[in-house]
Tab-separated table of all heavy atoms in Angstrom:
chain	number	residue	atom	x	y	z
A	1157	ALA	N	-18.820	-5.608	1.167
A	1157	ALA	CA	-18.006	-5.404	-0.033
A	1157	ALA	C	-17.286	-4.052	0.034
A	1157	ALA	O	-16.105	-3.954	-0.323
A	1157	ALA	CB	-18.876	-5.483	-1.279
A	1158	LYS	N	-17.985	-3.020	0.515
A	1158	LYS	CA	-17.359	-1.704	0.656
A	1158	LYS	C	-16.210	-1.763	1.658
A	1158	LYS	O	-15.137	-1.191	1.427
A	1158	LYS	CB	-18.382	-0.665	1.120
A	1158	LYS	CG	-19.359	-0.242	0.061
A	1158	LYS	CD	-20.355	0.754	0.617
A	1158	LYS	CE	-21.433	1.101	-0.387
A	1158	LYS	NZ	-22.451	2.022	0.179
A	1159	ARG	N	-16.437	-2.441	2.783
A	1159	ARG	CA	-15.381	-2.557	3.789
A	1159	ARG	C	-14.185	-3.304	3.218
A	1159	ARG	O	-13.034	-2.901	3.410
A	1159	ARG	CB	-15.895	-3.288	5.036
A	1159	ARG	CG	-16.591	-2.387	6.025
A	1159	ARG	CD	-16.764	-3.075	7.369
A	1159	ARG	NE	-17.589	-4.271	7.320
A	1159	ARG	CZ	-18.899	-4.298	7.405
A	1159	ARG	NH1	-19.571	-3.173	7.554
A	1159	ARG	NH2	-19.559	-5.434	7.355
A	1160	SER	N	-14.448	-4.382	2.508
A	1160	SER	CA	-13.365	-5.155	1.908
A	1160	SER	C	-12.578	-4.313	0.909
A	1160	SER	O	-11.343	-4.367	0.869
A	1160	SER	CB	-13.908	-6.394	1.200
A	1160	SER	OG	-14.515	-7.257	2.110
A	1161	GLU	N	-13.296	-3.534	0.116
A	1161	GLU	CA	-12.650	-2.678	-0.878
A	1161	GLU	C	-11.778	-1.625	-0.195
A	1161	GLU	O	-10.642	-1.376	-0.612
A	1161	GLU	CB	-13.711	-2.001	-1.759
A	1161	GLU	CG	-13.152	-1.104	-2.826
A	1161	GLU	CD	-12.407	-1.856	-3.907
A	1161	GLU	OE1	-12.523	-3.087	-3.987
A	1161	GLU	OE2	-11.691	-1.196	-4.685
A	1162	SER	N	-12.286	-1.021	0.874
A	1162	SER	CA	-11.497	0.006	1.560
A	1162	SER	C	-10.256	-0.610	2.212
A	1162	SER	O	-9.180	-0.002	2.204
A	1162	SER	CB	-12.340	0.756	2.594
A	1162	SER	OG	-12.747	-0.110	3.628
A	1163	VAL	N	-10.386	-1.810	2.737
A	1163	VAL	CA	-9.229	-2.496	3.328
A	1163	VAL	C	-8.207	-2.806	2.241
A	1163	VAL	O	-6.995	-2.622	2.442
A	1163	VAL	CB	-9.671	-3.782	4.058
A	1163	VAL	CG1	-8.490	-4.657	4.405
A	1163	VAL	CG2	-10.464	-3.443	5.308
A	1164	ARG	N	-8.670	-3.247	1.089
A	1164	ARG	CA	-7.772	-3.558	-0.023
A	1164	ARG	C	-7.046	-2.305	-0.501
A	1164	ARG	O	-5.829	-2.318	-0.717
A	1164	ARG	CB	-8.540	-4.184	-1.189
A	1164	ARG	CG	-7.649	-4.638	-2.347
A	1164	ARG	CD	-8.461	-5.097	-3.539
A	1164	ARG	NE	-9.300	-4.058	-4.089
A	1164	ARG	CZ	-8.871	-3.075	-4.895
A	1164	ARG	NH1	-7.614	-2.988	-5.219
A	1164	ARG	NH2	-9.710	-2.176	-5.364
A	1165	ILE	N	-7.776	-1.214	-0.632
A	1165	ILE	CA	-7.173	0.051	-1.078
A	1165	ILE	C	-6.130	0.525	-0.070
A	1165	ILE	O	-5.030	0.944	-0.446
A	1165	ILE	CB	-8.264	1.116	-1.304
A	1165	ILE	CG1	-9.089	0.747	-2.549
A	1165	ILE	CG2	-7.650	2.501	-1.448
A	1165	ILE	CD1	-10.315	1.603	-2.756
A	1166	LEU	N	-6.464	0.450	1.203
A	1166	LEU	CA	-5.526	0.850	2.250
A	1166	LEU	C	-4.260	0.001	2.187
A	1166	LEU	O	-3.142	0.521	2.277
A	1166	LEU	CB	-6.186	0.735	3.624
A	1166	LEU	CG	-5.335	1.133	4.821
A	1166	LEU	CD1	-4.944	2.603	4.736
A	1166	LEU	CD2	-6.096	0.864	6.112
A	1167	PHE	N	-4.440	-1.291	2.008
A	1167	PHE	CA	-3.286	-2.189	1.893
A	1167	PHE	C	-2.420	-1.802	0.696
A	1167	PHE	O	-1.193	-1.731	0.797
A	1167	PHE	CB	-3.754	-3.643	1.762
A	1167	PHE	CG	-2.641	-4.586	1.439
A	1167	PHE	CD1	-1.771	-5.012	2.428
A	1167	PHE	CD2	-2.447	-5.038	0.139
A	1167	PHE	CE1	-0.724	-5.886	2.136
A	1167	PHE	CE2	-1.410	-5.897	-0.159
A	1167	PHE	CZ	-0.548	-6.321	0.836
A	1168	GLU	N	-3.049	-1.562	-0.439
A	1168	GLU	CA	-2.295	-1.212	-1.639
A	1168	GLU	C	-1.537	0.098	-1.464
A	1168	GLU	O	-0.396	0.230	-1.912
A	1168	GLU	CB	-3.221	-1.138	-2.854
A	1168	GLU	CG	-3.715	-2.497	-3.308
A	1168	GLU	CD	-4.727	-2.417	-4.434
A	1168	GLU	OE1	-5.177	-1.303	-4.778
A	1168	GLU	OE2	-5.077	-3.485	-4.969
A	1169	GLU	N	-2.170	1.086	-0.794
A	1169	GLU	CA	-1.493	2.358	-0.541
A	1169	GLU	C	-0.274	2.155	0.355
A	1169	GLU	O	0.803	2.690	0.083
A	1169	GLU	CB	-2.453	3.363	0.101
A	1169	GLU	CG	-3.507	3.882	-0.839
A	1169	GLU	CD	-4.552	4.738	-0.139
A	1169	GLU	OE1	-4.507	4.860	1.102
A	1169	GLU	OE2	-5.411	5.289	-0.842
A	1170	ARG	N	-0.446	1.388	1.410
A	1170	ARG	CA	0.670	1.125	2.322
A	1170	ARG	C	1.785	0.361	1.608
A	1170	ARG	O	2.961	0.633	1.811
A	1170	ARG	CB	0.192	0.348	3.538
A	1170	ARG	CG	-0.628	1.184	4.485
A	1170	ARG	CD	-1.058	0.387	5.680
A	1170	ARG	NE	-1.821	1.218	6.594
A	1170	ARG	CZ	-2.490	0.759	7.627
A	1170	ARG	NH1	-2.488	-0.529	7.895
A	1170	ARG	NH2	-3.158	1.570	8.415
A	1171	GLU	N	1.391	-0.594	0.773
A	1171	GLU	CA	2.383	-1.364	0.036
A	1171	GLU	C	3.147	-0.458	-0.928
A	1171	GLU	O	4.372	-0.539	-1.032
A	1171	GLU	CB	1.693	-2.496	-0.728
A	1171	GLU	CG	2.652	-3.410	-1.451
A	1171	GLU	CD	1.950	-4.521	-2.196
A	1171	GLU	OE1	0.866	-4.270	-2.771
A	1171	GLU	OE2	2.492	-5.634	-2.213
A	1172	ARG	N	2.425	0.434	-1.610
A	1172	ARG	CA	3.052	1.370	-2.536
A	1172	ARG	C	4.028	2.285	-1.783
A	1172	ARG	O	5.151	2.522	-2.239
A	1172	ARG	CB	1.969	2.216	-3.218
A	1172	ARG	CG	2.395	2.857	-4.496
A	1172	ARG	CD	1.250	3.573	-5.227
A	1172	ARG	NE	0.040	2.777	-5.337
A	1172	ARG	CZ	-1.133	3.073	-4.754
A	1172	ARG	NH1	-1.270	4.145	-4.012
A	1172	ARG	NH2	-2.193	2.303	-4.920
A	1173	ASP	N	3.620	2.797	-0.616
A	1173	ASP	CA	4.497	3.641	0.198
A	1173	ASP	C	5.736	2.880	0.635
A	1173	ASP	O	6.850	3.412	0.625
A	1173	ASP	CB	3.748	4.174	1.431
A	1173	ASP	CG	2.662	5.167	1.074
A	1173	ASP	OD1	2.669	5.684	-0.065
A	1173	ASP	OD2	1.789	5.414	1.943
A	1174	TRP	N	5.562	1.617	1.028
A	1174	TRP	CA	6.693	0.808	1.469
A	1174	TRP	C	7.673	0.590	0.317
A	1174	TRP	O	8.885	0.716	0.495
A	1174	TRP	CB	6.196	-0.525	2.024
A	1174	TRP	CG	7.289	-1.378	2.549
A	1174	TRP	CD1	7.873	-1.319	3.773
A	1174	TRP	CD2	7.956	-2.437	1.840
A	1174	TRP	NE1	8.856	-2.264	3.888
A	1174	TRP	CE2	8.928	-2.975	2.715
A	1174	TRP	CE3	7.830	-2.987	0.578
A	1174	TRP	CZ2	9.759	-4.014	2.353
A	1174	TRP	CZ3	8.654	-4.029	0.223
A	1174	TRP	CH2	9.613	-4.528	1.106
A	1175	ILE	N	7.141	0.254	-0.852
A	1175	ILE	CA	7.990	0.023	-2.020
A	1175	ILE	C	8.754	1.307	-2.363
A	1175	ILE	O	9.958	1.267	-2.651
A	1175	ILE	CB	7.155	-0.473	-3.228
A	1175	ILE	CG1	6.658	-1.894	-2.958
A	1175	ILE	CG2	7.961	-0.411	-4.517
A	1175	ILE	CD1	5.656	-2.409	-3.967
A	1176	GLU	N	8.070	2.431	-2.309
A	1176	GLU	CA	8.714	3.714	-2.595
A	1176	GLU	C	9.834	3.989	-1.583
A	1176	GLU	O	10.930	4.423	-1.951
A	1176	GLU	CB	7.678	4.833	-2.551
A	1176	GLU	CG	8.214	6.181	-2.968
A	1176	GLU	CD	7.128	7.234	-2.957
A	1176	GLU	OE1	6.010	6.931	-3.415
A	1176	GLU	OE2	7.412	8.349	-2.493
A	1177	ALA	N	9.577	3.724	-0.318
A	1177	ALA	CA	10.596	3.929	0.718
A	1177	ALA	C	11.802	3.028	0.470
A	1177	ALA	O	12.958	3.457	0.640
A	1177	ALA	CB	10.005	3.671	2.098
A	1178	MET	N	11.555	1.779	0.065
A	1178	MET	CA	12.663	0.866	-0.216
A	1178	MET	C	13.469	1.336	-1.424
A	1178	MET	O	14.700	1.231	-1.443
A	1178	MET	CB	12.146	-0.560	-0.464
A	1178	MET	CG	11.548	-1.233	0.754
A	1178	MET	SD	12.742	-1.428	2.083
A	1178	MET	CE	12.168	-0.193	3.237
A	1179	GLU	N	12.802	1.881	-2.435
A	1179	GLU	CA	13.506	2.392	-3.603
A	1179	GLU	C	14.366	3.589	-3.235
A	1179	GLU	O	15.505	3.717	-3.705
A	1179	GLU	CB	12.509	2.765	-4.706
A	1179	GLU	CG	11.866	1.562	-5.361
A	1179	GLU	CD	10.757	1.934	-6.333
A	1179	GLU	OE1	10.350	3.119	-6.375
A	1179	GLU	OE2	10.297	1.034	-7.047
A	1180	ILE	N	13.847	4.460	-2.378
A	1180	ILE	CA	14.614	5.623	-1.915
A	1180	ILE	C	15.846	5.152	-1.140
A	1180	ILE	O	16.950	5.660	-1.353
A	1180	ILE	CB	13.729	6.549	-1.053
A	1180	ILE	CG1	12.683	7.231	-1.935
A	1180	ILE	CG2	14.581	7.579	-0.321
A	1180	ILE	CD1	11.619	7.983	-1.160
A	1181	ARG	N	15.670	4.179	-0.253
A	1181	ARG	CA	16.803	3.649	0.507
A	1181	ARG	C	17.854	3.045	-0.424
A	1181	ARG	O	19.052	3.222	-0.228
A	1181	ARG	CB	16.330	2.595	1.509
A	1181	ARG	CG	15.612	3.180	2.703
A	1181	ARG	CD	15.117	2.126	3.639
A	1181	ARG	NE	16.234	1.397	4.249
A	1181	ARG	CZ	16.091	0.357	5.039
A	1181	ARG	NH1	14.878	-0.099	5.327
A	1181	ARG	NH2	17.130	-0.249	5.562
A	1182	LYS	N	17.366	2.340	-1.440
A	1182	LYS	CA	18.287	1.710	-2.390
A	1182	LYS	C	19.076	2.774	-3.153
A	1182	LYS	O	20.298	2.658	-3.314
A	1182	LYS	CB	17.501	0.822	-3.357
A	1182	LYS	CG	18.361	0.069	-4.337
A	1182	LYS	CD	17.516	-0.820	-5.221
A	1182	LYS	CE	18.379	-1.560	-6.234
A	1182	LYS	NZ	17.568	-2.404	-7.112
């Protein structure tokens, strides 16, 4: 469960960074 949670958090952080980068490009 801890591993799954850390993977989920990492995914969400990367997704947030990607969305932010796309907004900056826009």
Side-chain angles (χ1 to χ4, degrees):
K1158 286 178 185 177
R1159 275 194 298 274
S1160 297
E1161 180 68 13
S1162 65
V1163 167
R1164 185 187 61 79
I1165 290 171
L1166 181 62
F1167 172 78
E1168 289 175 352
E1169 289 173 355
R1170 288 181 179 170
E1171 184 180 38
R1172 200 174 312 115
D1173 292 344
W1174 183 83
I1175 290 171
E1176 186 178 318
M1178 292 298 107
E1179 289 173 350
I1180 290 170
R1181 286 178 65 185
K1182 183 178 179 181

